[in-house]
Amino acid sequence: MDDVVIGIDASTTAVKAIAFTRDGKELFQARETYPLSNPKPGHFEQDAEHWWTALLGALRAVTDKVGAARVAAISIAHQRETFTLIDGGGKPLIPAILWLDERARPQVIRLSAELGREAIRDWSGKPPDPTPALYAIAWLAEHQPRALHNAAAIVDVHGFFVHRLTGRLVTSTASADPLGLLDVENGSWHPRLVEAAGLRPDQLPELVAPGTVCGGLSKGVAGLTGLRAGTPIIAGAGDGQAMGLGMGVHGAGKSYLSLGSGVVCGCYSQEVTTSDTFRTLVSPTGSGFMLETVLRSGMQLVDWIVRTTGSASAAALEKAAVDVAAGSDGLLVMPYWAGVMSPYWDGAARGAIVGLSLDHEPKHLFRAVLEGIAFEQAIASEAMEGQTGGKPTAMIAAGGGTNSELLMRIMASVLERPLSVSPVNEAAALGAAMLAASAVGWFASPEAAAEAMTAAPTRHVDPVGDLVPFYRTRKEIYRDLYHATRDIHARLGEVGEEV
């Protein structure tokens, strides 16, 4: 009994509840989806009640399979920056505003001017950008002031779930941090940022460190899920940090590379450090910090190419692109289809395809996109590692992009380092499970849980010797592309706004 922990991964599209054993093996997984609303350009919303229904369904499915008596604890990883407002009974007052949302670009400009761009970055760890909830909350203060004033609390996904599961209004510092309201160094709400958002201190959940027991499962929810009343609910973390922990990245010497819809790279830092070249986040272990670079448009560009060119599939394009020479016959792609976060933090930036000729075909574009993603990551990693003491000895990759042999060869060659591929399919949920396992005493710390519950990578991809110097030269040309197109994209955006 009590030999299983459940890790929750509440992503942008679904809740996954996964039962893990003490050695990190997945025993059973249940997945419940929910819709995403895009009511206006740049507005991305969800109904938090859909999250709750999905969570209950996933937990019920896992409990039915493994048995309530085996579940020692539950912990939560979740889509970051996403939030909603609730009343005193926990009912959502507005549609949840997602991390994808871009409605608050004017508030980014205003708050940067009022508080100082560097001050916001150094307080919160995050350069001003529409992604943190701070700016969307300020948007609500301007456009829906009554809803903001009447709200009992603002909650991230973790806080919403914990309140529903236990009755306590509490969230993890590693969950709330991406909202952009925390003093990242001290792990407490920052009064200036809270005031700038238009919030009152009494509207903020209690903060606890990841791995803390938030409370026990209420009798009412126990009846809905089949779990035992009082089952410990353990403070988790945002999905990015939890994913790193689930991949075994919890201290110096390793970094993670997530090749998903977006491309996220992170490494551990014992000391707080802030910069425009990365975001600084609370570590999921509660000790130290995680530094991250983010490319918003990653593997979704592959889907874009398939759709736009009318190709049969990504696999067919990749098969054709393998025979294209490195450099894609003079084609260069800057993959800013969704703007750029680190290191430029420029929402007006857009993608660029340079060097097109009548000889180019979809296969050339496919390879050039993969090369552009790799160039972008290399420049981001160089900037981050230049401020943190050099290259980590190991980089562990995960996500759908690792299924592309061509991308992995290009990425290793451009980064000039070997890549290990994580054998973990559900790293965010496993990271949450590690926090649960540590909290119930299976292991002495989250770090010890990560060592015990993470399988060693068995697949490794080395740089291709001849490609390294070629891509090194090519990367320097790519480095100038943003600066060459920045003003053009800004002017195009201004013309669009006027129309």
Side-chain angles (χ1 to χ4, degrees):
M1 299 303 183
D2 290 337
D3 64 340
V4 166
V5 289
I6 295 178
I8 302 295
D9 179 11
S11 71
T12 311
T13 57
V15 165
K16 283 173 278 191
I18 306 178
F20 292 96
T21 56
R22 192 181 294 252
D23 57 2
K25 288 193 169 51
E26 184 178 316
L27 192 61
F28 183 75
Q29 175 183 152
R31 183 175 186 269
E32 297 282 342
T33 63
Y34 33 71
L36 171 65
S37 174
N38 181 205
K40 298 179 183 177
H43 290 226
F44 292 91
E45 301 174 346
Q46 282 175 332
D47 184 344
E49 294 292 356
H50 290 159
W51 303 341
W52 179 241
T53 300
L55 178 64
L56 292 178
L59 285 174
R60 166 60 78 175
V62 172
T63 307
D64 288 347
K65 184 68 175 181
V66 305
R70 298 184 66 181
V71 179
I74 300 169
S75 188
I76 301 162
H78 58 96
Q79 54 171 310
R80 300 183 292 186
E81 293 96 17
T82 297
F83 74 96
T84 192
L85 305 176
I86 58 173
D87 65 16
K91 180 181 178 181
L93 296 176
I94 61 167
I97 299 178
L98 268 64
W99 63 275
L100 288 165
D101 200 276
E102 297 188 354
R103 74 185 70 182
R105 290 198 180 279
Q107 286 69 34
V108 173
I109 296 171
R110 177 173 66 80
L111 293 183
S112 296
E114 291 177 0
L115 298 177
R117 188 179 181 283
E118 289 75 19
I120 293 174
R121 182 196 67 198
D122 293 342
W123 291 339
S124 70
K126 294 143 200 73
D129 172 80
T131 309
L134 163 65
Y135 309 99
I137 302 166
W139 183 93
L140 287 172
E142 295 179 26
H143 295 272
Q144 298 182 36
R146 183 177 297 276
L148 191 63
H149 180 269
N150 291 341
I154 175 175
V155 286
D156 53 35
V157 180
H158 180 281
F160 180 77
F161 279 161
V162 171
H163 187 252
R164 286 283 178 96
L165 292 168
T166 70
R168 289 190 63 200
L169 185 60
V170 58
T171 194
S172 157
T173 52
S175 293
D177 169 43
L179 297 177
L181 298 171
L182 251 64
D183 178 334
V184 69
E185 183 171 10
N186 297 313
S188 58
W189 299 114
H190 195 290
R192 291 288 302 279
L193 294 173
V194 170
E195 180 184 16
L199 291 166
R200 305 185 305 272
D202 64 279
Q203 293 175 302
L204 302 169
E206 177 187 352
L207 292 170
V208 296
T212 302
V213 178
C214 293
L217 190 69
S218 71
K219 290 183 179 179
V221 178
L224 295 172
T225 60
L227 289 160
R228 294 175 294 178
T231 300
I233 307 300
I234 309 304
D239 54 8
Q241 302 111 296
M243 176 190 65
L245 181 62
M247 293 165 64
V249 178
H250 53 78
K254 295 181 180 178
S255 62
Y256 59 85
L257 177 64
S258 175
L259 298 170
S261 296
V263 176
V264 180
C265 184
C267 66
Y268 176 83
S269 173
Q270 180 63 45
E271 305 297 329
V272 65
T273 179
T274 60
S275 169
D276 280 354
T277 58
F278 50 78
R279 307 195 308 165
T280 305
L281 297 134
V282 172
S283 167
T285 66
S287 173
F289 305 88
M290 299 303 295
L291 311 180
E292 278 190 357
T293 65
V294 182
L295 174 62
R296 289 172 67 99
S297 49
M299 301 315 296
Q300 59 185 312
L301 290 185
V302 171
D303 296 331
W304 178 86
I305 295 170
V306 172
R307 186 174 66 251
T308 304
T309 62
S311 301
S313 67
L317 270 178
E318 175 162 353
K319 185 177 180 180
V322 167
D323 295 329
V324 174
S328 306
D329 286 350
L331 206 56
L332 197 62
V333 170
M334 185 172 71
Y336 295 169
W337 268 242
V340 59
M341 293 175 65
S342 52
Y344 305 121
W345 307 98
D346 184 355
R350 287 296 179 264
I353 303 172
V354 177
L356 278 169
S357 75
L358 293 174
D359 295 324
H360 285 122
E361 301 174 26
K363 63 183 181 181
H364 296 92
L365 180 59
F366 184 90
R367 180 166 189 134
V369 162
L370 301 188
E371 291 175 337
I373 291 171
F375 291 142
E376 184 65 26
Q377 185 57 56
I379 291 170
S381 292
E382 288 169 6
M384 179 168 64
E385 293 163 3
Q387 298 192 39
T388 57
K391 285 185 180 181
T393 55
M395 178 175 276
I396 304 169
T402 60
N403 296 321
S404 169
E405 295 288 346
L406 179 58
L407 173 60
M408 294 301 289
R409 287 199 301 272
I410 292 171
M411 187 68 74
S413 302
V414 173
L415 290 174
E416 301 186 29
R417 70 186 81 187
L419 299 176
S420 298
V421 180
S422 173
V424 178
N425 292 323
E426 301 291 352
L430 178 57
M434 290 170 177
L435 292 172
S438 171
V440 297
W442 289 4
F443 305 101
S445 66
E447 292 88 348
E451 290 292 337
M453 297 175 74
T454 305
T458 58
R459 179 184 162 207
H460 305 276
V461 181
D462 292 320
V464 179
D466 293 343
L467 293 183
V468 171
F470 173 81
Y471 277 142
R472 189 181 298 154
T473 301
R474 190 88 171 164
K475 181 180 63 181
E476 294 312 307
I477 300 172
Y478 173 87
R479 195 186 298 271
D480 293 335
L481 192 53
Y482 167 74
H483 302 286
T485 60
R486 178 183 58 193
D487 292 344
I488 292 172
H489 287 134
R491 288 162 60 194
L492 284 171
E494 291 169 2
V495 171
E497 291 172 3
E498 290 175 2
V499 173

